[in-house]
Every structure is written in structure tokens, then in C-alpha cells.
Amino acid sequence: MSFGDPNNPYGQQPQGQPGYGYPQQAPQGIPPQGGYAYPQQAQGYPGVPGYPGSPMPMPGGAKAARVIMFILGGLQALAGVLVVVGGALFASALSGSSSSSSSDAGAVAGGVFVVVGIILLGFSLWPILTAAKLKKGRGGVRVSGIVFGSLQSLFALISVLGNLAAVGGSSSSGVTPVMFSLVFAVISLGLGVWIIVGLANSASGAYFKRPLY
């Protein structure tokens, strides 16, 4: 069949060939095929809470435990520095004594203070490093935080009981250094328990078992 002159605008134009131009509309009841169909299900939007594949936010209890561990670690590091400096000054002050026995005792006492301060400095790294890894950590970091909170609570409880015994056996009235120590021990006990509760609840357990993207 002849279609005439292809340059003639009034002539019959050739029929379109299959595979060229716009895709043919699929019959009713048949889903579109090929690359022109939209995906049937969204794959999620990373970074947007509530969508599949988005990162899980840290629970409030874990956030509070993280802040508390940073604070306690900083206070322990400060106490370690003060003990080291105090021990060194104490040993230096007694080293100039005319008595050799006093000088030797001062050196020993100063050395003990320095060692205790170094231990406090080393122990302060535990809560600081644990808190720093909580946001992206897994179950091992959570266990480390719970163990730290347990030891913190244990030592604080021993301090509370000792201070209560001292207050009960004291005959002096008014505010005493023992009472101040008791208040700090109670606060320390509360913070330790807070760390345990914040990391041991079910919401924190689900967070530390989350898939990492």
C-alpha cells in the first residue's frame, strides 16, 4: 500500500509502529507493566521517625542515664585531680620538716593520696566512655552502664548506712559534716538507681537491639 509523498502535508501519514512513541494504555484490570508503573509500596524515609527504615530515637530513660554518667564521670575526674594535687602538696609540706620521721610519714601519706587520685581518674573514664558510646552502642554498652550504676548504688548505700550510724551515735546538735556527707551519699544512691532503671527498662532494651543502618 502506498502512502503517497511523505513531504505532502495533506497526504495520508504512516501508522505508528509498535514500540515507538508513548506506551500503549494497558487494558482495564491489568496493572501497568515495564518502567512506567509507580512502586506499590514506599521503602521508607531514613531520618524520619515513624517510617520503615528510619533510625529509632533513644528513649528518655537512656538519655537521662547518659547525662548522669557524664556528670558522675566528670566529678570523679575532678576529685581524682584534687586528691593527686593535695597529696603532692601534703608530701611537699612535710618533706621540709626537721624531723626525719615526720618527713617519711608525709612522703608515704602523699604517695597514698597520689595513688588514690590516679585510681579515681582511671575509674572516671568508665562512665564517660560508656556514656559517649550509648547513642550508637549495642547491648554490651548497655550492660556496662548497668554495671556501673549497680556499683555506684552499692558504694553509695554503704556510705549512707555508715553516715546514718555516725549520725545516730553523735551527741552533737545542729548541722555536722557527717550530715552533709549523708546528703551527698543519698544523692549518689539516687543517681545510681536512676542509671539502672533508665537502662534496664524494656524501651531501652528495644533500642539497644535495634538494627543498624
Side-chain angles (χ1 to χ4, degrees):
M1 179 184 296
S2 174
F3 297 102
D5 188 0
N7 297 321
N8 184 6
Y10 301 99
Q12 185 178 4
Q13 299 298 323
Q15 300 295 327
Q17 300 298 323
Y20 296 93
Y22 294 98
Q24 300 296 322
Q25 184 177 3
Q28 187 176 4
I30 300 178
Q33 305 294 325
Y36 299 97
Y38 291 97
Q40 299 298 319
Q41 184 177 2
Q43 300 299 319
Y45 300 90
V48 182
Y51 285 92
S54 60
M56 181 184 298
M58 179 181 289
K63 289 182 179 179
R66 186 172 184 238
V67 173
I68 292 172
M69 283 192 288
F70 271 128
I71 294 174
L72 291 178
L75 292 177
Q76 289 172 0
L78 178 61
V81 171
L82 292 178
V83 171
V84 170
V85 174
L89 293 177
F90 181 75
S92 177
L94 291 183
S95 63
S97 175
S98 58
S99 174
S100 60
S101 59
S102 299
S103 179
D104 294 339
V108 172
V112 171
F113 276 109
V114 170
V115 171
V116 171
I118 293 175
I119 293 175
L120 287 175
L121 284 173
F123 190 74
S124 68
L125 295 177
W126 182 5
I128 292 175
L129 294 179
T130 301
K133 295 181 179 180
L134 272 181
K135 190 173 183 180
K136 297 183 179 180
R138 305 295 290 170
V141 179
R142 179 193 181 205
V143 171
S144 175
I146 293 175
V147 172
F148 172 79
S150 301
L151 292 178
Q152 175 76 19
S153 302
L154 176 62
F155 291 136
L157 179 60
I158 295 174
S159 179
V160 168
L161 296 177
N163 285 302
L164 284 176
V167 170
S170 176
S171 59
S172 60
S173 59
V175 179
T176 62
V178 177
M179 292 183 179
F180 279 110
S181 178
L182 176 60
V183 171
F184 285 121
V186 171
I187 294 175
S188 180
L189 176 61
L191 294 178
V193 173
W194 199 337
I195 292 174
I196 298 173
V197 174
L199 294 179
N201 57 42
S202 58
S204 295
Y207 174 78
F208 288 102
K209 293 179 182 178
R210 74 197 184 283
L212 297 178
Y213 297 99

